[in-house]
Amino acid sequence: MSSSDPKTRPKPVTRPPAPVPPSSWAKRTGFKPKFSGETNASDSGQIALPPRSRENENQPDLEAGRARPVPPVVNGEQPVSEKGPAEKDQSVKKRREADGTNKGSSAAAANGHTVNNGAAPQPQQPTRRPSRNEDVVDVLPQNVDDEGFVGRHSHMKYELRDTPGLVPIGLYGFQHYLSMLGSLILIPLVIVPAMGGTYEDTANVVSTVLFVSGVTTLLHSFFGSRLPLIQGSSFVFLAPALAIINSPEFRGLNGNNFKHIMKELQGAIIIASAFQALLGYSGLMSLFLRLINPVVVAPTVAAVGISFYSYGFPQVGNCLEIGAVQILLVIIFSLYLRKISVLGHRIFLIYAVPLGLVITWAAAFLLTEAGAYSYKGCDTNIPSSNIVSEHCRKHVSRMKHCRVDTSHAFKSSPWFRFPYPLQWGTPVFHWKMAIVMCVVSLIASVDSVGSYHASSLLVSSRPPTPGVVSRGIGLEGLSSILAGLWGTGTGSTTLTENVHTIAVTKMGSRRAVELGACVLIVLSLVGKVGGFIASIPEVMVAALLCFMWAMLAALGLSNLRYSEAGSSRNIIIVGLSLFFSLSIPAYFQQYGISPNSNLSVPSYFQPYIVTSHGPFRTKYEGVNYIMNTLLSLHMVIAFIVAVILDNTVPGSRQERGVYVWSESEAARREPAVVKDYELPFRVGRIFRWVKWVGL
């Protein structure tokens, strides 16, 4: 029936290749279908990896739209790479030897599969085409494209536990953080001026954010999910922070508004973070995971990005020739030049944000020095209310947004500054603001769950167990408590953009992320670094945010790849969630505002003053504040609509794309899974009796 050479094997003429059944596609993306014809599934759905047949090497990739090559299988093991032996990394070999050579065979035997451990078959010998009733379980996609979303971990440059050397992981770790520069620094550049803070205050908050991000990333890498995920100020907390900043009670403050509002934010974040830590370490997160699926995560995270449309381009329009160029450069680098490699690195794709910022900043500097934004007799240091000349009043806004020398943060910043807890004063606790932040921390947990699952498929051999997920959420709560004590203005959580960065850089080593976190801590101690970042012109910040928020919305919707995205059920649920996430908050934000009303805040902050005019007007002021604020947040509405519809509308597990996590008992039998997620320094022994926060 077949020759010794599989390439010359005759193809059947009367029977064209059958399309991939939905069940096989679902399994390759991480599902555990339970319907007739697939009765050999293992108990965990992730541990067993039976051998694949070469007959299936040309199966179409439903996500990439092309044939999917599958390398030959030897004793249930797929080769690490198609490269020659001289190109293989020694650390990868050592790690595989430590995990055991017959990992797939032992796992299959442990789950009730019969495995032939005899002599290894020759690669050129064809194997039997598996019948449709046989189980082929593999949670990881088989191909890696330039986007990385359909990538197998063996194609990463460095995997989760690889430690190739100080220099490589140092370079890759710094690259990892540099590519996420926008996510780390842009939030302070928005909220501090909104609180009435000076450029010096902005520089101090930026340094604090860098310090807390480095510390919390180290904690998460050692005692959290142990995945190479960066912790930092998340855009999830930006909208509620702006709502608190624009509360009516803060409008008539005299003196230092920044410190007073910051202490209010700190109190709300600390209480909400304690709630998140309790949610994780109590085991409630394991129960809550049953409600969180891709159809819930996708619109919730996407709503975070698309909710800031009123801030993005309206701010760019204040200096269009600089802001528009900034956006175009980032788009050109990340899309049109993304496949250009320099010394083996896709420089333009990885560093699209920093490169665009540097080039635009240089152009703005040249225009400033050439006198393009100089107007005779006008000074940007004079408050707008004190400007008498109509000529200067007309151009002062343009000068502030276009010139690069209006900020004196870099000159006034010290060379050394150590961020310390309670540097702004003792936090102030108000229950109404704390409840708003508690709901937001719940949504931040939903965002993190999606990031855990996606990143584990990229860098790890198996998804984490529910206990590991709960442990990670609990530690994120503790990390946010630190963020509240230090005063970053927002909570700390897993940055969603991290998944895209891992996919693009092919860097999955947790040691690289840890070393990068140490570098971040050192940089945070240099006050000039924070001052330099604080001097970025506002129009460039808004232009970068346009790209970052668009990226966040797309990353949220990309979670649908784990479900049947073409299902009418899922299309309707996601569509309703996104539409109502925009429409319902618009009703609350516009309620009671007349067209000719003179509001005391800029137009781009008007969506966050809803507490003073919202439709909830009971005799309890605190209830009015909570309801008007929560129902005006886009992500809250998207989450409520999605979680209700996805968990009440009938649909199969395959159609819904229910996240499949590794079973605890099966994971403990796998040495690789234990080494990936076990707590270091024998700390895991303390939590061995607590099943919901461990393997």
Side-chain angles (χ1 to χ4, degrees), residues 312-333 356-357 359-361 363-364 367 373 398 401-402 537-547:
F313 205 83
Q315 281 287 84
V316 174
N318 291 323
C319 191
L320 194 60
E321 66 270 22
I322 292 179
V325 170
Q326 172 84 69
I327 296 175
L328 288 176
L329 282 175
V330 176
I331 292 175
I332 291 172
F333 291 154
L357 178 62
I359 295 174
T360 311
W361 206 340
L367 289 174
Y373 307 117
R398 183 172 175 81
H401 286 89
C402 297
E538 292 182 13
V539 66
M540 295 186 191
V541 174
L544 290 177
L545 285 172
C546 287
F547 179 81

Side-chain angles (χ1 to χ4, degrees), residues 36 46 88 147 150 289 306 352 368 405 419 429 483 485 584 587:
S36 60
Q46 299 88 10
K88 293 183 179 179
E147 304 302 332
V150 287
L289 280 178
I306 63 179
T368 302
D405 57 355
F429 300 93
L485 292 174
I584 294 178
Y587 166 74

Side-chain angles (χ1 to χ4, degrees), residues 111-157:
N111 287 278
H113 289 276
T114 302
V115 179
N116 182 12
N117 290 327
Q122 296 297 325
Q124 67 268 20
Q125 292 181 356
T127 55
R128 179 179 57 86
R129 182 184 183 94
S131 65
R132 297 184 62 176
N133 291 338
E134 292 182 356
D135 182 32
V136 181
V137 181
D138 190 354
V139 299
L140 297 178
Q142 301 299 309
N143 258 355
V144 173
D145 60 4
D146 50 23
E147 304 302 332
F149 286 135
V150 287
R152 188 174 177 83
H153 69 288
S154 60
H155 290 262
M156 303 290 289
K157 290 179 180 177

Side-chain angles (χ1 to χ4, degrees), residues 277-444:
L278 179 64
L279 181 69
Y281 287 124
S282 66
L284 293 176
M285 193 65 204
S286 298
L287 301 176
F288 189 59
L289 280 178
R290 301 176 183 178
L291 304 178
I292 304 176
N293 298 310
V295 181
V296 175
V297 174
T300 302
V301 179
V304 176
I306 63 179
S307 62
F308 297 107
Y309 63 90
S310 61
Y311 180 90
F313 205 83
Q315 281 287 84
V316 174
N318 291 323
C319 191
L320 194 60
E321 66 270 22
I322 292 179
V325 170
Q326 172 84 69
I327 296 175
L328 288 176
L329 282 175
V330 176
I331 292 175
I332 291 172
F333 291 154
S334 60
L335 293 178
Y336 294 98
L337 304 181
R338 61 192 176 122
K339 293 189 177 182
I340 297 178
S341 297
V342 179
L343 299 177
H345 300 278
R346 294 186 177 180
I347 299 296
F348 295 104
L349 178 60
I350 297 173
Y351 304 117
V353 171
L355 279 176
L357 178 62
V358 169
I359 295 174
T360 311
W361 206 340
F365 176 78
L366 294 176
L367 289 174
T368 302
E369 291 298 315
Y373 307 117
S374 298
Y375 300 94
K376 187 177 180 180
C378 301
D379 187 0
T380 56
N381 295 322
I382 301 176
S384 301
S385 58
N386 297 338
I387 297 176
V388 178
S389 170
E390 187 65 28
H391 170 74
C392 291
R393 188 186 297 274
K394 179 181 178 181
H395 296 293
V396 68
S397 175
R398 183 172 175 81
M399 293 175 65
K400 287 183 177 179
H401 286 89
C402 297
R403 295 182 66 91
V404 298
D405 57 355
T406 57
S407 169
H408 304 285
F410 182 77
K411 295 180 180 178
S412 60
S413 299
W415 279 102
F416 176 81
R417 181 183 183 275
F418 181 78
Y420 55 92
L422 306 181
Q423 56 188 329
W424 316 119
T426 305
V428 178
F429 300 93
H430 281 109
W431 67 273
K432 59 181 183 180
M433 298 177 183
I435 291 179
V436 171
M437 279 294 183
C438 284
V439 176
V440 173
S441 68
L442 185 65
I443 295 176

Side-chain angles (χ1 to χ4, degrees), residues 427-478:
V428 178
F429 300 93
H430 281 109
W431 67 273
K432 59 181 183 180
M433 298 177 183
I435 291 179
V436 171
M437 279 294 183
C438 284
V439 176
V440 173
S441 68
L442 185 65
I443 295 176
S445 301
V446 174
D447 186 4
S448 297
V449 167
S451 299
Y452 290 174
H453 187 269
S455 62
S456 68
L457 297 187
L458 286 171
V459 305
S460 179
S461 57
R462 305 291 183 268
T465 63
V468 172
V469 176
S470 297
R471 187 178 72 201
I473 298 299
L475 190 68
E476 285 191 15
L478 296 181

Side-chain angles (χ1 to χ4, degrees), residues 129-347:
R129 182 184 183 94
S131 65
R132 297 184 62 176
N133 291 338
E134 292 182 356
D135 182 32
V136 181
V137 181
D138 190 354
V139 299
L140 297 178
Q142 301 299 309
N143 258 355
V144 173
D145 60 4
D146 50 23
E147 304 302 332
F149 286 135
V150 287
R152 188 174 177 83
H153 69 288
S154 60
H155 290 262
M156 303 290 289
K157 290 179 180 177
Y158 297 106
E159 299 181 25
L160 184 61
R161 287 182 278 116
D162 290 344
T163 53
L166 184 61
V167 174
I169 65 173
L171 292 176
Y172 278 106
F174 184 71
Q175 165 186 287
H176 204 78
Y177 280 85
L178 189 60
S179 63
M180 299 189 64
L181 182 67
S183 301
L184 291 172
I185 66 171
L186 292 181
I187 292 181
L189 301 183
V190 175
I191 64 173
V192 176
M195 288 188 280
T198 63
Y199 289 111
E200 290 77 12
D201 295 328
T202 303
N204 293 337
V205 174
V206 168
S207 298
T208 304
V209 168
L210 296 180
F211 178 81
V212 173
S213 177
V215 172
T216 54
T217 299
L218 288 175
L219 290 175
H220 190 83
S221 179
F222 281 101
F223 306 110
S225 70
R226 307 219 66 199
L227 292 166
L229 298 173
I230 296 175
Q231 308 295 302
S233 298
S234 173
F235 290 116
V236 174
F237 291 93
L238 180 56
L242 290 174
I244 292 176
I245 291 170
N246 290 282
S247 296
E249 53 262 40
F250 298 148
R251 292 178 194 166
L253 292 178
N254 296 320
N256 196 332
N257 295 6
F258 165 72
K259 287 190 176 180
H260 183 87
I261 299 175
M262 178 62 82
K263 290 187 290 185
E264 298 274 356
L265 278 175
Q266 287 181 263
I269 291 170
I270 290 174
I271 294 179
S273 304
F275 167 75
Q276 187 179 15
L278 179 64
L279 181 69
Y281 287 124
S282 66
L284 293 176
M285 193 65 204
S286 298
L287 301 176
F288 189 59
L289 280 178
R290 301 176 183 178
L291 304 178
I292 304 176
N293 298 310
V295 181
V296 175
V297 174
T300 302
V301 179
V304 176
I306 63 179
S307 62
F308 297 107
Y309 63 90
S310 61
Y311 180 90
F313 205 83
Q315 281 287 84
V316 174
N318 291 323
C319 191
L320 194 60
E321 66 270 22
I322 292 179
V325 170
Q326 172 84 69
I327 296 175
L328 288 176
L329 282 175
V330 176
I331 292 175
I332 291 172
F333 291 154
S334 60
L335 293 178
Y336 294 98
L337 304 181
R338 61 192 176 122
K339 293 189 177 182
I340 297 178
S341 297
V342 179
L343 299 177
H345 300 278
R346 294 186 177 180
I347 299 296

Side-chain angles (χ1 to χ4, degrees), residues 52 204 296 313 531 555 599 610-611 648 668:
R52 287 188 177 274
N204 293 337
V296 175
F313 205 83
L555 286 172
L599 298 175
V610 66
T611 55
T648 56
R668 292 191 188 99

